[in-house]
Each structure stands twice: as C-alpha cells, then as structure tokens.
C-alpha cells in the first residue's frame, strides 16, 4: 500500500512558483531518496508534505487520506515527522526538554528518552545544556532524536548528515536502518548522495521543481548520465 | 513630619495598587512571553473587566440590555469572562493573521483595539467616572493598633494577587504546559511540526492573560474611579512592571508590580511628582544593568 | 546574462524618479496659492510630520530600532525654540540689531539651536539606549521620554533652579507649557507675519524649504553606505559585527541623526503651533510617527511620508463628518486595523503591489 | 485672506469648542446644551438681524487648535464660544488672536487671559513667569478663578476664621492657580491660615488615595479643593471611603457645584460641605433665570444622558450667545472688528445671573459666583445631592487689586 | 613560516565543560589549515574565541594585522578583530536575510573600504562598491541569484553567500566553518578549487573545519585535530590520518581500514606531532 502520494503538486512562496506538477509515490516501509541540485526543490517538497509552505496545490495523500488542506500540526499528528534542514532546536530548552516536548506531543508510542541517549551518547553528557549552546553536529543529532522519539509513521529527513562527524554518520546509518526495520517509512534528501543511496531502495530526482527521474536505486546506479547531469557525483575532475 | 501611620497607610495603598498592577502585568508578560506580542490593549482589557464588574454590580447599564445587578462576587466571573472573550476575539480574529509579520504590526493591531474598544466602552457606558463601595462582606477594616488599620477589601485584593501567582506556579509545576509554551514561544513553526496546535495554544494563552486583566479590573472597581480612560492610564505602568520584572517572568511581574505600586504611593511622600518619575527611572536603570529584567531568563 | 545585470546595476535609470520629484515639487510650491488658510496650514503640518516620521524611520525601518520615545526630540527642540523666542532673543537684543528682519534671524537661530539641542539629547540618550536591542530598546526610549515628560510637566527644572536661587520656580511652565507670539517680518520691504494662521503662505513656504532640505538629507543618508550599514544592523547585528561593523557606535550615530532631524521637524511644528505643551513629549505623541510609519510603510524611503499624509488627511476627513468625528477614535482605530491587516508594508506597499498587479495584467 | 465672517452668508455662524469626551464630557456637554437653548430661543424669536443662527460645537479632541482653525476657516464661524481647559486656552490664544474671530470663553478659570496689565504681571507669551495673557479678541462671561477663590477665602474668613487648611487639586494650571489665589486672597483678608499640606493628583487620576492619606495625616481643619467633573467624583468618593469628611470640619471645592458630579455620586455625597460654581440653578431669583431653566428643562427632560438642569457653566454660556446677538445687532453685521468693539463694554439684561457687563479693558464679565452647601433636600431632577443656602459673591478689580497686593497675582477682572 | 594567528594556552569553559582546553597553536601565513574533530570537539568555540565572539576563560590570541604587526587581540571586540583582517564564515548560516545577495556582499565591501560612516556616496550607484561586490559574487558563483533576497535562497545557495561574506572583506586570514556542508558534489569541488586558488593567488591564509574528509585531504597543507577541546594531533594530512587516535575517535576506522575518500594511508605509523 502506498503511504504517501503526491500528484500534480504545485507549491509557491508568495509569487514564486517552486514546484511544478510534482508526483511522488512512497510505499509502506521503504526508504525513498529525494535527490537534486541545490535549489532544485527538495526541501520545498518536504515542506509541502508537512504543510509548511505558504501555498500548495494538487493531491497529497497520506495513508489514503487527502492531507492537502490539513494544518501543520494535524499532519504531524497523523504521524508525519520532519527533521528540518535548519535543525530547529528549541534554543531556550535543554536537550532533555527538547526531547520531552517531542514526547509530550507524540501521537504514537513515544520512545524513551534514554533510548535516544544510548543512540547518541554525545547528547547524554549534554542533557542539561540549552539547545542554543550545542555545537552544530550536536544540534543535528538532537534534531534527529527529537523526530525519532515521536514514533513517526513517515519520517522526512532533510539532509540529516550535514555537520556530522564521520563516526556519527555511521551511527546514524545504523539507527536509520533499524528504524526502517521497525515499520517506519522514510523520505530522505541528502547532498551526501552515497549515504542516501545506500539507505534507499528507490530515488527521485528533482530538477527545477519538477520530476526529472524516478526509479530504483539499482537502476540509478547504472545511470552514470543521471548521476552526472543532476547530481554531479562520480565526476572525475576533482583535483 | 512623616508619621508611621501615614507610611503604613501609603504602604497599604501601594500594595493595593501593586496588586492591581500585577494582575495586568502578569497577563501582559505572559502574552509577550509566549506570543511575542506586546499587547497594547491589555490596559483596555483591564478597563473592560472593570466595566463588566460595574455592570454586574448594577452600577452601570448597557443600552438595550440594561442592568445586570447580580452583585460583586458573580461580577468577578462576568469580568473574567468578558475580558477573556474580548481577548480571544482580538487574538483569534485579528492578531493571528499577522503573526508572521514584524512585531510592530502586531503591536499596532492591538493599538487599534485600544482606540476602538475605548470608544465602544465610552459609547456604551458614557465617559463619566464610576465609583462604588466594596462588597458588604468586606466592608470595614481590621484594626491592628489604635492608629493602624487595614481595610478588609484592600487586604483581599492583595491576597488575590498572591493566590493568582501561586495558582500559576502550581499549573506550571504540575503540568507540562509550561514546557510546551516555552518551546512554542521559542520556535512556533517547529512546535507545529511536532504536533502543537499553535493557534489554539495562543488563543488559550491570550484568554488567560486577558482574563487576569479582567479580574484585576473587577477587583479595582471599589478602590479606583472607573472611566474609559483607565486602560491608557495603567498600560504604561504595566509595561514598566513587565520590563522591570523581566518580560515573560511571572515572579518578576509580581515583584515589579509591588515595587512600582509602593513607589507610586510612597514616592509622593518624598518629593511631589516623584511618584510618577520613579517607575521610569527604575526601568531605565534596570534596562541598563540587567536588560532581561530582574527575573529575566528565569524559567517561564 | 549576469553581465547584463552588472551593467544595469552600474547605470541605474533615474529618469522616472526625476520626473516624479519635479511633479511633486511643483504641486507643493503651487499648493498654498490655491488652497485656503486652513488647508495650507494643514499641509504645512503634514509636511513637518512627513519629515518627523522619515527621521524616525531611519532608526526603525532602516536600522531596526523601534524608538517609542521620539517625541522627546520634539520636546527638546520645542522648548528650546520657545525659550529662544520668549527670552533669549529679547535678551540678545536681536530686535534692535536686525530691525524688521529680526524675526527671521530668531527663526533661523531657533531652528539651528533647537535642532542642536535635540541632537545633544540624542547624544546622551542614544549612547545609553543603543546598548539595547529590540523591545528593550523600545522600552528604554519610552522610559526616557516619559521621564522627560514628567520633568517638563512637573517643571522639575524650574523647581531645581529656584532651589539654587535662580528664577521664580518656573522654567517649562508645567502643564501649561510655553506659548509665544511670532509677529511681523520686514525683509527688505517684503512684509509678512512669520506665523499667520489666517494666511499661512509665508510660513508654509518656509516649511516646505526646511522639509525639502531635511528630506533630501535623509534620502542621501539612507542611500549612502552609512544607510546600507544601518540595514545590515537591522538584518543581523551579530553578523554585522563579525564583518567589522561597530554596531553600537553606528546605531548611536543613527540615533543622533534621527534625533536631530526629529528635532528639526519639532522646531517647525512648535512654531506652527506657536507653543509647546508637555503632552508633546507624552508617549501618545511618540506613537504618532510610529503609526504614520506603519500606515505608510517602513520599508520604503517615502513610506513614512505617505503615512503622514494618509494620517493627517484621514484625520481631517473624519473631522468633516460629525458621526465619524464623534467616534473618531473608533474610526481611526478601524482604519489602522484595516491597514495593518491587509497592507503589508503599509499604504506604500499596497500601492506598489497594485502597480505590479496592473503591469502584470498588461503583459 | 481666509477670514470667515463675510457678510455673504445668510446665517450667523457660531462655532463652539468644548471638551466633549473624557473626564469632562458631562461638563462640556452641559455648556453646549446651554448654548443650544439660547440659539433656539433666538432663532424662534427672529434670529439676529433677521438671520438664523447656525451653531456647530466640536470636541477639543487631541488637537483643539485644529478644531478652532477648522471652525474659523472651514465652517467660517462669525463668532466663537468655548474651551474647557485653562491650559488649552492659554496655548490657543495666539492662534485665536491670529484668526481674529471674536471668541468668548464661558468655562475658563485662569485669570491670566483677562489680565491686560503686562507691565505689572509680565507678559505670559514672553516669559515663563508671565501672568498676563490678555488677547484682544477674547472675552469671558464666567466669573474666573480669581473671583471664585476670593469667594471661598471670604467665606472661610467669615465663618471659620484662621484655620489649618490643606489643599488638593488637579495637577495643572487650574488646580495650582486656585490654590495660589486662595492663599493670596486669604492673606489679603488678613487671615493667617496654617497651610498644612498641598497635594496635586494628576488630572483624571483614578486613584487619589495616596494623596488623601497625606491630607488626612496632616490633620487639617479645612480642606480646599479645586476638582471638577470626573476628578470631583473620584475625589469625593475616595475621600468618603477614607473617612475624610468625618475628619475635617469643612471641605470646599471651587467648581464642585456640578449636577453631573452629584448625579454620578448618587447617595454618597456628604451633606453640608461647601461647593461653589459660576452658576447654580436656584441661586438667582429673577425671571430671566426662570425662563432659562424652563427652556433648558423642556429641551432636555427627555434626554436621559444628561440632567435636565444646567451645570455651573450654564449661565455664562447662555449669556455669551445673547451678548453676541446684541453686539452683532449693534454692529449691523458680523465684521469681526466691529463686533469686538461692540462687545467691549456691552451690557446685557437677560443674563440669568442678573445684569452683566463685559469690562472694556479686561474683557471679563461682571458676573457673580455662588457658594452653597451640599444637601439631599435640594430641588434637583436626579437622585443625588444639590446645593442649598446659596450665596452669591461679587468682586471688583479695585478691591481685588487691594487684596492681592504684593502677591504678584493679577485680578484678571 | 611566520604565524599570522597564534594562540597560547587558549581555554574556554562553559560551567564544568571545557570546550577549548589550553590550546596553543600557530597558523602559518599562506597555508590552508584544516581543523577536524568529532562533534562537540570545540572547533566552533575555538573560532568564536579567535574572532572575539566569545571571551576566553584564559589564554591569549594574537593576530597579524594588515600592517604586519602581531597584535594581542584577546580582549578586542569582534568588529575590531574583523577590521584587522580576520574574517569568518559561520557553520550555521548567518546572513542579512532580508537583503539581496548583492547587498549582502556590498556590506562586506563597505566595511572593507572603511566607509560605514560615508554619507556622501550612494551605495547602489557607487561603482567601486558594486564592482568589488560583483567580483566576490562571481568568485563563489552566485551571479544568477545576485538580486534575490537571501531569505528566498535554497540552503546550498545560502552557504555560498556565507562564504561570499567571509571573502568579501579581502581578509588576510579566513576561518571557514564547514564551508561545503549543504553543497552538492560539484559545488563542493568548486569550493575546494576556489579556496586553493585564492590561497595561491592572494596569499590568503585559510583555516577550515570540515567533516568531509575528501575535502580536508584535498586542500589541507596541515591538519589540526581537536578532541574534547584538546589539540591531539597536528601535522600534514598524511601524518594525521595515520594517527591511531584520530582514526578511531574521529573516523571510526579500525586497524588498516581505509578512508573511503580513497587516500592512500601509506605508512605514517608514528602519527603527527602530538600537541
Ligand atoms: N522562503 C522562500 N521564499 C522564496 N523562495 C524560496 C524560499 N525558500 C526557497 N526558495 C526557492 O525555492 C527553490 C527551491 O528551494 P529548496 O530549498 O526547496 O531547494 P533544495 O532542493 O532543498 O536545495 P538545497 O540543496 O540547497 O537545500 C530555490 O530556488 C529557492 O531559491
Ligand atoms: N555557550 C555554550 N554554553 C555551554 N556549552 C557550550 C556553549 N557553546 C558550546 N558549548 C559546548 O561546547 C562543546 C564544543 O562546541 P563546538 O560548537 O565548539 O563544537 P564543534 O567542534 O564545532 O562541533 P561540530 O562539529 O558539531 O560543529 C560542545 O559540547 C557544546 O555543547
Ligand atoms: C472649570 C473647569 C472646566 C476647568 C477650568 N475651566 C479650567 O480652567 O481649566
Ligand atoms: Mg534543501
Ligand atoms: Mg562547529
């Protein structure tokens, strides 16, 4: 069954038209990568799903129900949780409080805060630190932890590895793999394409706000041209 | 030549003023702390609470509706509801539409309500002064010594301010509302992403803030002369208090209110006109030395 | 393509702007000869407020500092002007030196010294105020202006001087403020009353001159690197510091400029009203430029001026209709509500969007 | 120039400016009402020189000078009445002078505005301590503060002799001048009162308890006050709550003779304190007064927003309209200079307060003021107190000069 | 090589936490130095101390100003230090969001030209400012969005503006905090090239923190490793990346496991010089 369906979706910031007739299909329990250049519209797509763009049109269905007109909190309470690009840690709340708030608002079976500390031991030492005082990577970890704690059905990850040290990236990979095994559906955008592709079964490429390609990761790995044209990976001109 | 009796009387007067001001300032501070809106109409909500109480007591009548006349105690409830509902109207009907604009836009929106509501009250109740006696239950005073006595009603008003402060702390301690509110006030959009119904939360907060002002206004009725200009007279002092105490801090509002109340009453003993000057000087000093206020930065 | 952008940036097309300014100038110069006495002085007042609001907006719209006490500069220069007219000029014997032109000399003197006093006040108060940002800045400016209001309203200076054995206990004359008369000027045969409410052409033209100079100066400041630096502070003071901008110093300078021009406007206003009252320093007076600016639109140079015009003429229209006038606060509040609710960046923003809409339609 | 008053129009236009909102709404409204009664009477009896009077009354609003200018330059008022605040009056005088329209004050206390002797008292417009602000086209029909405080000082001297006196008044020109003049007159009358304290709550204060406490603790025999309209209501009610009226022998108020205040206070006004005013309906026993009262009652008895008897400015406002009628008729038109010169020295016989004359040199009317005692027995058309045992007082410039000698205060009479 | 920036026992504590632990180091003129280390190692805090955004608990910072003198800047304000030629890009975007990209860069130019109090010119018509700003815009590749308000940019483009601001003041030393985070692979490469080129052509000294080892290895003359606030390694890329401690704590590599970036970790058993 498809968990999330976007059909002919258009999104706008004020007068600027960003997404053009975008289609997206995500099945239960799969990981889908959303790829594309800077400014292609990946973040906007995730924001469209969560209801945070100012204006969106088209059909957006979650578990068969139309959510195109739902408010942000309503969509969230359906189990759709976003780890935003800018991390959005509550600056005046402590690490623990950041997680507690998430836990308080969880609509499913929230995870234990301790569980998250086990996953990110760095945070454990910083329990009482205020969000604003965390390092960039620590904030990123907290942001992921905060979403996980809410027991999402559909987890939207916007560049979750940004700012994470290589070891932590590995840890994150493990956690996400685990989470997927537990019945969570994931949509991920990444500049770290390798990370995304390793985790995902399928991928979409977005270019200038429209679908450029869609298919399985295996297919994509065959297509040097796509990787080259839209994702600029694998190019050999690094010097 | 300042006698002990006078100092005591002024102290009681100052505490009464402080208690009234606390009830305005605490709501103002609450709304600012959560919504980041400096509610200029807060004084007007206080004034509306006062008129609602007057109406409930039967001292003024509303055209086409007439008098209510159910007495002082039910009047407190009427005042709380009246101010609270007007607050909800302002927030849910208007301010909500401009949350993502400059803070000044919200401030001016509330200023527009100052102008409009003052006029509405004026048209409804006239612009004359209204004065009533304390309720029978609290008439008279407690004699402390032969020269010192404490009017019952004033003691009651002071007590109420303490009760309200305690109630706020109990609510914050025993529920996770405080945390939610702080999270929302620091990042509204993220809170919504976590599932917080931000508009509803804001409306509730505005209701509570407004209702407290309404309660303050109703309690003021027997000790203050009520005119439609009342709102504008108290609002600046309420700002001063909220800032001195620390915007968003309830304990700060409490301490600030009593400091200002007492300085208004006692200051006039020292130098004529000083009562007016002291609060502003105090605000300047606090802002320069501790901009976040005496209790700023403290939890909720 | 990008090269085109660069070229265009370096050769801006100012023709439309020149035509616009010329048209407005012609209308403003011709206006008093067409309008009656009341309308002429209303227009003069509006021009003065346009300058006041623009000066205020240098601090608010461009630097991001909301002053809720700008009336203090009107008070500083206003009381100075009144003192000069009432006491200093006679004491200096300006009448006997300059004869018929004496009043013009007094006028210039009052304008210059009044503005200087406002600037001086801004030097002190600005230095302390710019330590703070955001709402705290608004609150400290509010406190200063209210403290000044108490001081002039209670005539604390008068009492203090009297305690030192100077004067008879009055200086600002308490709640009555200072009122003066401005009489005849004889400028080499050109005779007129400096402020003649019955026939205010002369004063109007002087006002227009002063306001035009003031507006031009502010225009230059706002569009200069100084003004761009102000915008950097508005947008992100902390990043501005990281780039090497001394934000406090810069805000302070801006505060002084804003205060000085507000003082200049205040001086003209006080002469038009032939007096100053403590209420001119009260917070409600400080709210006027704020409201005007928001009505007009803070993010355009002309926004506050548009706001001043909208404000003053709306007020005038309301006064025309007894029903509206009886409920003028309601009417005005309602209009404010509409503007804030439906016009992002005020009337100016509204006009701009309308223009965009129309040109979109034409395409 | 843009001066109004051209002979072209077929009505005589009167512009009025009073405080019609805020604490003084009731006061300004009762002045406007009295003017309306006079205008109606005159129009019913053939108008002025055969022309009807058209009157427009506006609120001070937030910019009284703009209202005055607008009435003169847009409404084209031929003559004007008005103002409810001494401060506004002094601040507006240069504007009014510049406009040139005859302007009659009906409610104003400050003696300065009718004091022409700038030599002795200093020109108000030229120094911060000046006390003479005479303005050529301004007149006054009410008896001013100088007169009023004399009456109280005299009453005190006659009935209480030397006493411990405290003062309370609104914190602005009017309150301060009342106290200054009261002290000066008392001294002139040979009274060596002990002035125990003086408190000035701000105008429109909603809580005067701190100042009332101070007064109480100074333990005065008598309390002199100068509250009016809403301030009087606030003061009386809060003073009653603090038990002030039991503690002192008597309380005086300069213009407390105000039906709207008593109406607002209902049954809480203490009996037997002394309130004065520029007019009190039952203080004059003459047919003009009766005619005025009848007309006033007829006009307003069905209006439940205002008492159907005139307030303390009723007499002076009503008289002002008749003065204009007489002056315009004598001048044969509305040319401002002519009307002004007719007004100087004019005498009217149908003033409810008795025959009055506008003094040529000061532009001040020779009208009496009144002191009475609060009582619920008074004949008033509302629930509340009124005045009984009223006495009227008159004062001449000569006597005033004698009494004020050495105080630096001018008679303004 | 002469140091352009040096610290001596630089320390910063937040309560009990020692974020920067007595770091003594000098940055050589004209080099590209990378600072790596786990999350929370103290890299950003170290930058904050160098740039005057935070006051150190103890220790000293010295900076070679534009005129060549080595100045103690420990207690100087952030703006003073910036004016001495030290500039930085932030890890978390810190832009003038409401202004266009062009205006953002112009502001950097205004401070560079010491014209913040110039009221005689008109910014938008000043060719010196516009030219200077445009050069920077071309350098980082923002021509297409030059007139877009920063608030309306995508994350990746904002990162570029962040760097444009850092470069806009013609600094002699630039501190970049994860400059390529959020950029795609091509742009990351371009950024690396740009830094290399500027370093070559203008002798600008760069200090870069990065978690992308490919980048680090690609550009660094020297690598510093921070862990728990302490400097645990300092040396050439080869030296540092073969250090056991670094491999384990930071890269999560065990034994001879190779870095995916494909760097030949040949030899280098004794690691870099230990701090
Ligand atoms: N708040 C906004 N207002 C207007 N335009 C915006 C806004 N945010 C983004 N845009 C524009 O929308 C387009 C898509 O941006 P988006 O952030 O979705 O890109 P992205 O694919 O996530 O890029 P990145 O990899 O850089 O994060 C870009 O052209 C961007 O400039
Ligand atoms: N103001 C502060 N108050 C308290 N702790 C702080 C503060 N600033 C930073 N810290 C703590 O100091 C440590 C170092 O933080 P810093 O930001 O320097 O790390 P970093 O090396 O830049 O990490 P990252 O790679 O994640 O950006 C972190 O554990 C952080 O939580
Ligand atoms: C009598 C009152 C209306 C006040 C008084 N007219 C004054 O001069 O201010
Ligand atoms: Mg993105
Ligand atoms: Mg960092």
């Amino acid at each position: 069954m498809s968990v999330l369906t976007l059909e002919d979706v258009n999104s706008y910031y004020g007068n600027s038209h960003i997404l053009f007739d975008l289609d997206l299909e995500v099945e239960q329990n799969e990981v889908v990568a959303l790829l594309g250049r800077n400014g292609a519209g990946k973040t906007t797509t995730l924001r469209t799903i969560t209801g945070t763009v100012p204006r969106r049109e088209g059909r957006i269905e979650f578990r068969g129900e139309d959510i195109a007109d739902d408010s942000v909190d309503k969509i969230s309470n359906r189990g759709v949780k976003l780890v935003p690009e800018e991390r959005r840690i509550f600056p005046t709340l402590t690490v623990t409080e950041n997680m507690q708030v998430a836990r308080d608002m969880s609509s499913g079976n929230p995870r234990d805060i301790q569980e998250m500390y086990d996953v990110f031991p760095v945070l454990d030492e910083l329990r009482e630190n205020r969000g604003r005082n965390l390092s960039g990577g620590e904030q990123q970890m907290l942001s992921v932890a905060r979403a996980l704690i809410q027991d999402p059905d559909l987890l939207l990850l916007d560049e979750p590895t940004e700012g994470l040290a290589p070891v932590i990236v590995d840890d994150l990979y493990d956690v996400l793999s685990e989470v997927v095994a537990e019945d969570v559906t994931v949509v991920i955008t990444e500049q770290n394409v390798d990370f995304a592709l390793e985790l995902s079964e399928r991928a979409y490429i977005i270019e200038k706000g429209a679908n450029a390609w869609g298919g399985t990761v295996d297919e994509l790995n065959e297509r040097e041209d796509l990787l080259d044209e839209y994702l600029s990976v694998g190019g050999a001109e690094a010097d | 030549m300042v006698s002990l009796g006078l100092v005591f009387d002024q102290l009681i007067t100052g505490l009464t003023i402080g208690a009234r001001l606390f009830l305005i300032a605490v709501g103002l501070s609450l709304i600012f702390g959560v919504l980041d809106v400096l509610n200029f109409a807060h004084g007007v909500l206080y004034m509306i609470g006062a008129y609602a109480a007057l109406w409930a007591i039967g001292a003024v009548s509303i055209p086409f509706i007439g008098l209510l006349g159910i007495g002082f105690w039910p009047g407190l409830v009427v005042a709380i509801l009246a101010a609270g509902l007007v607050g909800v109207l302002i927030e849910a009907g208007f301010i909500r539409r401009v949350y993502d604009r400059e803070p000044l836009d919200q401030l001016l929106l509330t200023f527009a309500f100052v102008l409009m509501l003052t006029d509405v009250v004026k048209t409804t109740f006239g612009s004359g002064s209204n004065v009533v006696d304390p309720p029978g239950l609290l008439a008279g005073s407690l004699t402390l010594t032969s020269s010192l006595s404490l009017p019952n009603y004033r003691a009651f008003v002071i007590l109420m301010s303490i009760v309200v402060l305690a109630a706020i702390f109990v609510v914050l301690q025993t529920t996770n509302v405080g945390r939610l509110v702080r999270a929302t006030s620091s990042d509204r959009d993220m809170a919504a992403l976590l599932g917080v119904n931000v508009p509803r939360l804001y409306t509730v907060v505005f209701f509570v803030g407004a209702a407290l002002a309404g309660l303050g206004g109703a309690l003021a009725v027997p000790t203050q002369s009520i005119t439609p200009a009342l709102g504008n007279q108290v609002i600046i002092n309420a700002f001063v208090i909220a800032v001195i105490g620390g915007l968003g801090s309830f304990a700060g509002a409490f301490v600030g209110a009593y400091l200002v109340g007492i300085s208004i009453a006692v200051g006039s003993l020292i130098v004529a006109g000083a009562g007016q000057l002291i609060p502003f000087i105090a605000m300047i000093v606090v802002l320069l030395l501790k901009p976040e206020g005496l209790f700023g930065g403290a939890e909720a | 393509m990008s090269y085109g952008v660069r070229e265009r940036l370096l050769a801006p097309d100012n023709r439309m702007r020149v035509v616009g300014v010329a048209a407005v100038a012609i209308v403003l110069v011709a206006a008093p000869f067409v309008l009656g006495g009341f309308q002429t002085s209303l227009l003069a007042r509006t021009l003065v407020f346009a300058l006041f609001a623009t000066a205020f907006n240098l601090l608010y719209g461009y630097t991001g500092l909301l002053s809720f006490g700008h009336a203090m500069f009107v008070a500083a220069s206003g009381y100075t002007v009144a003192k000069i007219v009432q006491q200093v000029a006679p004491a200096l014997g300006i009448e006997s030196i300059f004869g018929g032109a004496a009043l013009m000399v007094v006028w210039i003197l009052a304008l210059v010294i009044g503005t200087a006093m406002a600037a001086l006040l801004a030097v002190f108060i600005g230095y302390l105020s710019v330590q703070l940002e955001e709402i705290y800045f608004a609150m400290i400016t509010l406190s200063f202006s209210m403290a000044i209001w108490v001081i002039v309203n209670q005539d604390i200076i008068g009492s203090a001087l009297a305690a030192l054995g100077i004067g008879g206990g009055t200086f600002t004359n308490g709640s009555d403020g200072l009122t003066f008369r401005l009489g005849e000027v004889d400028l080499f045969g050109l005779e007129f009353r400096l402020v003649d409410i019955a026939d205010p052409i002369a004063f109007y033209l002087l006002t227009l001159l002063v306001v035009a100079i003031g507006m031009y100066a502010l225009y230059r400041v706002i569009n200069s690197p100084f003004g761009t630096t102000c915008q950097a502070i508005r947008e992100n003071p902390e990043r501005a510091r990281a780039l090497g901008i001394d934000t406090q110093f810069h805000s302070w300078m801006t505060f002084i400029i804003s205060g000085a021009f507000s003082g200049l406007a205040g001086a003209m206003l006080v002469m038009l009203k032939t007096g100053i009252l403590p209420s001119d320093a009260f917070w409600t007076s400080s709210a006027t430029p704020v409201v005007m600016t928001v009505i007009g639109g803070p993010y355009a140079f002309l926004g506050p001026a548009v706001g001043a015009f909208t404000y003053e003429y709306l007020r005038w229209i309301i006064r025309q209709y007894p029903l509206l006038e009886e409920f003028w606060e309601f009417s005005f509040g309602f209009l404010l509500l509409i503007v804030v609710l439906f016009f992002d960046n005020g009337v100016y923003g509204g006009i701009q969007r309308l223009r965009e809409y129309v040109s979109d339609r034409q395409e | 120039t843009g001066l109004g008053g051209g002979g072209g129009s077929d009505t005589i236009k009167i512009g009025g400016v009073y405080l019609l909102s805020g604490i003084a709404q009731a006061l300004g409204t009762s002045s406007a009402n009295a003017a309306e009664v006079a205008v109606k009477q005159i129009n019913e009896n053939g108008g002025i020189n055969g022309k009807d009077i058209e009157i427009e009354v506006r609120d001070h609003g937030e910019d009284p000078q703009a209202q005055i200018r607008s009435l003169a330059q847009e409404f084209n008022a031929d003559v004007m009445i008005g103002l409810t605040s001494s401060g506004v009056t002094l601040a507006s005088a240069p504007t009014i002078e510049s406009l040139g329209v005859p302007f009659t004050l009906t409610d104003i206390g400050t003696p300065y505005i009718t004091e022409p002797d700038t030599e002795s008292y200093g020109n108000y417009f030229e120094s911060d301590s000046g006390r003479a602000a005479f303005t050529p086209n301004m007149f006054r029909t009410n008896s001013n503060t100088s007169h009023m405080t004399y009456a109280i000082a005299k009453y005190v001297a006659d009935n209480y002799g030397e006493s411990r006196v405290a003062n309370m008044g609104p914190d602005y020109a009017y309150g301060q001048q009342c106290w200054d003049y009261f002290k000066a007159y008392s001294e002139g009358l040979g009274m060596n009162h002990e002035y125990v304290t003086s408190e000035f709550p701000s105008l429109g204060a909603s809580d005067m308890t701190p100042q009332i406490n101070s007064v109480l603790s100074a333990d005065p025999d008598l309390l002199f006050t100068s509250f009016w309209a809403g301030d009087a209501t606030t003061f009386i009610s809060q003073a009653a709550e603090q038990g002030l009226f039991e503690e002192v022998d008597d309380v005086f108020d300069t213009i407390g003779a105000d039906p709207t205040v008593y109406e607002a206070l209902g049954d809480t006004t203490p009996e037997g304190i002394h309130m004065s005013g520029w007019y009190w309906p039952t203080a004059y026993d003459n047919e003009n007064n009766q005619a005025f009262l009848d007309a006033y009652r007829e006009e307003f008895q069905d209006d439940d927003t205002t008492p159907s008897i005139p307030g303390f400015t009723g007499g002076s406002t009503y008289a002002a309209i008749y003065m204009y009628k007489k002056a315009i008729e004598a001048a044969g038109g509305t040319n401002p200079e002519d009307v002004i010169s007719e007004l100087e020295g004019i005498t009217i016989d149908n003033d409810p307060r008795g025959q009055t004359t506008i003094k040529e040199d000061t532009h001040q009317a020779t009208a009496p003021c009144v002191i009475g005692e609060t009582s619920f027995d008074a004949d008033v058309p509302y629930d509340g107190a009124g005045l009984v045992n009223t006495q009227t007082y008159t004062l001449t410039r000569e006597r005033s000069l004698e009494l004020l000698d050495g105080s630096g205060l001018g008679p303004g009479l | 090589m002469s140091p352009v920036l040096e610290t001596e026992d630089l320390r910063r504590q937040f309560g009990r936490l020692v974020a920067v632990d007595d770091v003594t180091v000098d940055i050589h003129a004209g080099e590209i130095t990378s600072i790596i280390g786990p999350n929370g190692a103290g890299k950003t805090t170290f930058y904050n101390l160098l740039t005057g955004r935070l006051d150190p608990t103890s220790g000293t910072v010295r900076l070679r100003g534009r005129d060549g003198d080595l100045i103690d800047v420990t207690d100087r304000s952030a703006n003073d230090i910036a004016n001495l030629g030290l500039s930085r890009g932030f890890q978390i975007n810190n832009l003038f969001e409401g202004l266009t990209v062009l205006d953002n860069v112009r502001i950097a130019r205004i401070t560079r030209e010491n014209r913040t109090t110039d009221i005689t010119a008109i910014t938008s018509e000043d060719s010196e400012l516009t030219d200077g700003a445009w050069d920077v815009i071309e350098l980082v590749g923002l021509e297409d969005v030059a007139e877009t308000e920063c608030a309306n940019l995508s994350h990746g483009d904002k990162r570029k503006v962040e760097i444009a601001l850092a470069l806009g003041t013609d600094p002699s030393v630039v501190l970049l905090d994860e400059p390529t985070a959020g950029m795609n692979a091509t742009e990351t490469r371009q950024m690396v090239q740009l830094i290399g080129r500027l370093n070559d052509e203008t002798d600008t000294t760069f200090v870069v923190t990065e978690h992308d080892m490919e980048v680090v290895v690609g550009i660094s003359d020297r690598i510093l490793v921070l862990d728990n606030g302490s400097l645990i390694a300092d040396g050439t890329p080869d030296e540092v990346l073969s250090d056991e401690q670094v491999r384990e704590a930071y890269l999560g590599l065990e034994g001879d496991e190779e870095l995916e970036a494909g760097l030949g970790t040949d030899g280098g058993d004794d690691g870099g010089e230990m701090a």
Side-chain angles (χ1 to χ4, degrees), chain C residues 36-39 41-42 45 83 85-87 90 153-154 168 170-181 193 195-200 272-275 277 311 315-316 319-320 322 325 328, chain D residues 1-3 56 58-59 61-63 65-67 69-71 73-74 86-88 90-95 97-99 112 123-129 133-136 171-174 176-177:
Chain C
F38 182 83
Q39 286 297 334
S41 40
L42 177 61
R45 182 185 152 89
K83 283 289 175 192
V85 173
Q86 286 190 337
Q87 288 170 329
N153 195 43
Q154 302 288 334
T170 54
F171 187 77
T172 56
N173 203 26
S175 63
D176 276 359
L178 299 172
T179 306
F180 49 82
R181 292 185 171 121
R193 281 189 66 166
V195 174
D196 185 348
I197 284 301
D199 184 17
L272 184 65
K273 299 201 313 178
T274 61
L277 295 169
Y311 181 99
R315 188 68 193 90
W316 176 74
R319 221 178 259 140
Q320 299 311 294
E325 173 64 13
W328 85 265
Chain D
T1 66
L3 264 194
E56 178 158 330
R58 301 212 190 140
D59 185 15
E62 85 290 17
D63 187 355
Q65 286 175 42
Q67 293 289 30
R69 282 193 291 122
S70 168
L71 283 170
Q73 297 180 317
E74 293 189 305
S86 290
V88 168
L90 292 168
S92 305
T95 298
E97 181 178 355
S98 190
L99 290 167
Y112 301 177
N123 189 330
Y124 180 82
F125 302 109
E126 286 170 11
S127 90
D128 55 33
S129 54
F134 178 83
T135 303
D171 191 11
Y172 83 112
Y174 179 73
Q176 282 140 3
Q177 285 170 13

Side-chain angles (χ1 to χ4, degrees), chain B residues 1 3 5-6 9-10 13 16-17 20 122 126-134 151 153-154 222-227 229-230 233-234 264-265 268-269 276, chain D residues 20-26 171 196 198-199 202-211 213-215 217-218 229-231 233-234 237-238 241-242 264-265 268:
Chain B
M1 221 198 48
S3 73
L6 176 58
D9 285 347
Q10 298 296 47
T13 307
T16 321
I17 298 173
R20 291 194 307 241
K122 201 184 283 177
S127 55
S129 307
N130 295 279
V131 287
V132 297
D133 292 332
Y153 186 75
R154 287 176 185 261
T223 63
Q224 221 175 351
S225 139
I226 310 300
T227 68
L230 191 58
Q233 292 175 351
V234 295
I264 288 174
S268 61
L269 291 180
Q276 282 177 305
Chain D
L20 298 175
S21 59
I23 43 161
Q25 185 196 34
D171 191 11
V196 293
S198 171
E199 295 288 336
S202 53
L203 187 63
S206 62
D207 189 352
M208 301 184 183
T209 338
Q211 291 83 6
N213 288 340
S214 290
V215 165
S217 100
D231 278 349
T233 314
T234 305
S237 118
Q238 291 175 358
E241 196 212 332
Q242 300 296 317
L265 284 167
T268 59

Side-chain angles (χ1 to χ4, degrees), chain A residues 42-44 85 158-159 189 191, chain E residues 154-156:
Chain A
K42 305 178 293 293
T43 299
T44 307
E85 196 170 48
D158 202 350
E159 312 205 10
T189 79
Q191 294 302 348
Chain E
S154 77
H155 183 67

